[in-house]
Amino acid sequence: DAINYYVGSFKFALPAELHPVKWAADRSIDFLNSAAKDDSPFLLWFSTELPHAPLAPPAPYCYNYDPDDVPPPIRDDKELDLLPPHFQALYEQKDIDISPHRPESAAHYYGLIEMIDDQVGRILASLKENGLDEDTIILVTADHGEALGDHHMWGKGPYHYDSVVRVPLLISWPKRFPSGQTHSGVVSLVDMAPTLLDLAGVPIPEGKVPPEPVS
């Protein structure tokens, strides 16, 4: 049910070498090895659902973070009384206490992020090995974070706390962009596709979204 889905946390039974994220990275590297053989433009989209509930990293990632060492959730015991009623309703719909699950869930969440970092690192290394790193636009982002008990919430919404909405957005193009720049303002993922198309010199489609069906 929804409750177990959100607090589900366990150790993935198969080794990291057989995890779907490793498989997707392997296929991405195969693609780059092929793309390096000609000068044609290419688009590679490495996508993973993780980190996402159920939080189940494989070894060694499920052991890399001690549940006793993870920082506690950010919350105040009285804040639910001060927030709109849907916060209290979301809290009460979980008919089990999520507190005992939180340390292990957080440790496994961090483990999943580390596993993804390692696979992205392999893809970036392949770009460099194939001589594609200087003139390739690289963008890393996510759709949302995880509340993990912050403000007594779990999952991703409807609540716009930092742990849910502040996702990474990194973009690199060594041939064109100076490194080390940061932006602290609000950025919308809605503009991600038009920005990439503009950088690539590809016309941005116009019209209604989604497009009207052809009769």
Side-chain angles (χ1 to χ4, degrees):
D1 57 26
I3 295 169
N4 290 332
Y5 173 78
Y6 279 110
V7 303
S9 175
F10 55 89
K11 293 169 175 54
F12 198 73
L14 296 176
E17 286 295 311
L18 298 178
H19 196 279
V21 172
K22 168 66 162 50
W23 182 91
D26 287 346
R27 302 291 75 74
S28 298
I29 292 170
D30 290 343
F31 175 86
L32 291 174
N33 290 337
S34 176
K37 296 176 181 178
D38 61 56
D39 295 327
S40 300
F42 66 87
L43 169 66
L44 168 63
W45 183 1
F46 170 73
S47 178
T48 172
E49 184 186 22
L50 301 177
H52 198 283
L55 304 172
Y61 301 100
C62 57
Y63 301 111
N64 285 357
Y65 299 88
D66 189 335
D68 292 334
D69 294 336
V70 300
I74 300 169
R75 63 189 181 195
D76 184 288
D77 290 339
K78 299 179 180 179
E79 67 181 312
L80 286 176
D81 296 330
L82 305 174
L83 292 168
H86 74 273
F87 285 84
Q88 185 70 38
L90 286 165
Y91 176 76
E92 291 177 350
Q93 80 176 10
K94 297 175 174 60
D95 58 5
I96 59 173
D97 182 8
I98 63 174
S99 299
H101 301 271
R102 201 270 175 183
E104 181 189 76
S105 294
H108 284 176
Y109 189 70
Y110 302 155
L112 288 170
I113 293 172
E114 183 183 7
M115 178 178 69
I116 294 168
D117 282 349
D118 285 348
Q119 298 309 317
V120 170
R122 293 180 60 228
I123 295 171
L124 295 179
S126 177
L127 269 174
K128 187 171 184 178
E129 291 167 2
N130 282 295
L132 300 170
D133 54 316
E134 287 296 316
D135 199 21
T136 297
I137 302 168
I138 301 167
L139 188 144
V140 179
T141 191
D143 57 347
H144 63 82
E146 164 62 54
L148 278 178
D150 283 358
H151 309 285
H152 306 275
M153 298 293 105
W154 206 261
K156 62 183 179 182
Y159 28 83
H160 295 161
Y161 292 118
D162 278 2
S163 54
V164 175
V165 300
R166 287 184 66 90
V167 299
L169 179 62
L170 300 91
I171 186 166
S172 170
W173 191 2
K175 192 173 182 179
R176 290 275 302 273
F177 299 159
S179 62
Q181 294 183 322
T182 60
H183 177 68
S184 58
V186 177
V187 177
S188 173
L189 297 181
V190 171
D191 196 42
M192 185 173 68
T195 298
L196 289 175
L197 290 171
D198 192 34
L199 291 173
V202 177
I204 300 172
E206 298 181 0
K208 294 184 177 181
V209 178
E212 295 180 336
V214 178
S215 58

